[in-house]
Amino acid sequence: MKQLIVWGSSGHAKVLNEFINYEGFKVAILVDNNTNAKSVIKNVPILIGVSAFKNWLSVNSNSDNFYGAIAIGGEKGKKRLDILEIFLTSGIKLPNLIHPKSYIAKDISLGVSNQILANSTVGANVKIGNGVIINTSATVDHECIINNGAHIGPGAVLTGCIEVGECSFIGAGAVILPKLKIGKNVIVGAGSVVTKDIPDETKVIGNPAKKYVKEL
């Protein structure tokens, strides 16, 4: 089986480990930047930090045999893209991991290092960048554009012709109405209903979704 390096040792790593064997992968090692992290996959060792990863790779120098995946979800899109770059510069191949119980239209455009999880739907003519997560039971309908590092949370619904900006996070169960633009580094709270465009660097919550203002 193909050897997969998974960066991130948390619940998301367990999610990936549940189905990657269907695509011919086996987790070789876990890597995490948290000094307190422990391996969450039985009999799989963990390395802590970039230096440890690079040292391991220098010993296991035939990087043609290794593939990489990033098990970091939520609003941490920038971190996913940073790790993606580390993998690329180290010669690690970056497959798209697609759960066999998802539905993917035949004409989508797909970059690298994306994850499309169980029971999710990606519709006609959708364009997905790099380092994107389409989480469990999410729906990305026709002609949406999902830019690098974005995460569409479990059960979220993008209803068509929507653009989601780089590193934005659409929370669980949120609904985005058609033909809207979600800016970069946006957070849409769980269960929110978005009825208008959202500018960059904004957090919105509610139905209809409004800018979140932290109470003093």
Side-chain angles (χ1 to χ4, degrees), residues 29 125 164:
I29 59 167
N125 202 217
V164 177

Side-chain angles (χ1 to χ4, degrees), residues 143-194:
E143 301 170 88
C144 288
I145 299 171
I146 313 298
N147 286 292
N148 298 343
H151 183 167
I152 312 303
V157 177
L158 277 61
T159 53
C161 301
I162 293 159
E163 181 172 358
V164 177
E166 188 168 291
C167 298
S168 286
F169 174 54
I170 310 300
V175 176
I176 315 296
L177 297 188
K179 301 181 180 180
L180 297 181
K181 184 171 183 179
I182 309 300
K184 299 178 181 179
N185 299 309
V186 166
I187 297 175
V188 176
S192 297
V193 178
V194 178

